[in-house]
Amino acid sequence: QVHLEESGGGLVQAGASLRLSCAASGRGIISYAIGWFRQAPGKEREFVGAVNWAGTTTLYADTVRGRFTVSRDNAKNTAYLQASSVKPEDTAVYYCAADYSLALNNKWDQYEYWGQGTQVTVSS
């Protein structure tokens, strides 16, 4: 069983930066890729980015590439989503998820475990 908990959300102004954290616990968590997704009201869950188990490979959605960075610190069992130059359209609930796979997936249904989400609101 894997448990994930996001933190770091809040209200920020457009153009600002923020960092979301995903604290992970459970057996073998180091073997899981971590993905970040977001869901805005009335919209489908959207892939944001992912990092492999070693932190050496990343994958990003076109909408955030160059602005967002995903990383992980396995010594702390924590993954991060660093968001820069945020826009009002980045407003959503952000979720981290764990996938027991060597490949990085951008499909939400490939991820086995999910956190409860953290709200990010970007004001214009």
Side-chain angles (χ1 to χ4, degrees):
Q1 187 72 16
V2 171
H3 179 74
L4 304 173
E5 185 169 354
E6 304 92 339
S7 62
L11 174 63
V12 296
Q13 290 189 330
S17 298
L18 81 163
R19 187 176 76 165
L20 305 182
S21 298
C22 173
S25 61
R27 189 184 184 107
I29 185 61
I30 192 174
S31 301
Y32 287 75
I34 299 296
W36 287 91
F37 292 78
R38 65 187 183 186
Q39 189 165 19
K43 295 188 177 181
E44 294 186 352
R45 193 170 304 186
E46 175 188 25
F47 173 75
V48 175
V51 58
N52 72 333
W53 69 274
T56 55
T57 305
T58 54
L59 179 68
Y60 295 97
D62 290 342
T63 52
V64 305
R65 187 177 293 111
R67 298 189 300 121
F68 289 17
T69 302
V70 294
S71 62
R72 66 191 294 165
D73 183 341
N74 286 337
K76 297 181 178 180
N77 287 339
T78 302
Y80 304 97
L81 176 66
Q82 178 71 43
S84 302
S85 302
V86 296
K87 306 174 182 180
E89 50 264 44
D90 294 322
T91 295
V93 177
Y94 283 72
Y95 300 90
C96 64
D99 176 25
Y100 189 70
S101 173
L102 294 178
L104 293 179
N105 291 305
N106 61 2
K107 305 297 184 185
W108 67 267
D109 58 359
Q110 297 297 310
Y111 288 78
E112 293 91 347
Y113 299 100
W114 291 81
Q116 82 290 347
T118 186
Q119 176 71 47
V120 173
T121 303
V122 182
S123 63
S124 58

